[in-house]
Amino acid sequence: LRQALWTDAGSTAILEAIEAAVADFPGLVTGQRKAFTAWSNKVQFAAAKPVKGGGVSLGLALTPDASPRLSEPKNESWSERLKAKLALASPAEVDDEVRTLLKAAWERS
């Protein structure tokens, strides 16, 4: 499923940057779905899916007001717990703020 979903090299590089950001979270479980890659602890706290034309949409179990970079997801196929999304165009955008947001979402799970 992962190979079929993550075919774009740029999107895959962003996925790998997200994976590196969450790699040391205790109790981390990575799940692969047909349309997205998900991360959970007790419950799902984040999901990423490639975007047509390049980039990644990252869903987080946070409210959109947690950061000006977040927006409200519309018609997403991932968990309804993920109340905010973030568009990422390059691995460099997985910066300290994104790592902090991922950690906050993980702590809520």
Side-chain angles (χ1 to χ4, degrees):
L1 287 175
R2 180 181 167 116
Q3 280 184 314
L5 180 62
W6 297 97
T7 57
D8 176 75
S11 296
T12 302
I14 297 168
L15 172 68
E16 290 168 352
I18 296 167
E19 289 175 326
V22 300
D24 64 344
F25 290 4
L28 180 71
V29 176
T30 302
Q32 184 62 53
R33 313 292 193 279
K34 185 176 180 181
F36 60 91
T37 300
W39 295 276
S40 59
N41 184 17
K42 293 180 183 86
V43 293
Q44 188 176 348
F45 69 87
K49 68 179 184 178
V51 177
K52 262 191 191 216
V56 169
S57 181
L58 176 64
L60 296 165
L62 299 171
T63 56
D65 62 0
S67 167
R69 292 172 67 182
L70 298 176
S71 63
E72 194 171 316
K74 298 198 180 6
N75 302 322
E76 300 293 351
S77 59
W78 51 46
S79 170
E80 55 195 41
R81 292 193 80 252
L82 308 184
K83 303 284 187 200
K85 83 174 182 181
L86 174 61
L88 298 168
S90 76
E93 291 183 8
V94 183
D95 56 14
D96 287 342
E97 181 183 10
V98 172
R99 285 188 278 281
T100 299
L101 291 169
L102 283 161
K103 185 75 166 186
W106 171 82
E107 288 170 347
R108 296 182 65 194
S109 70

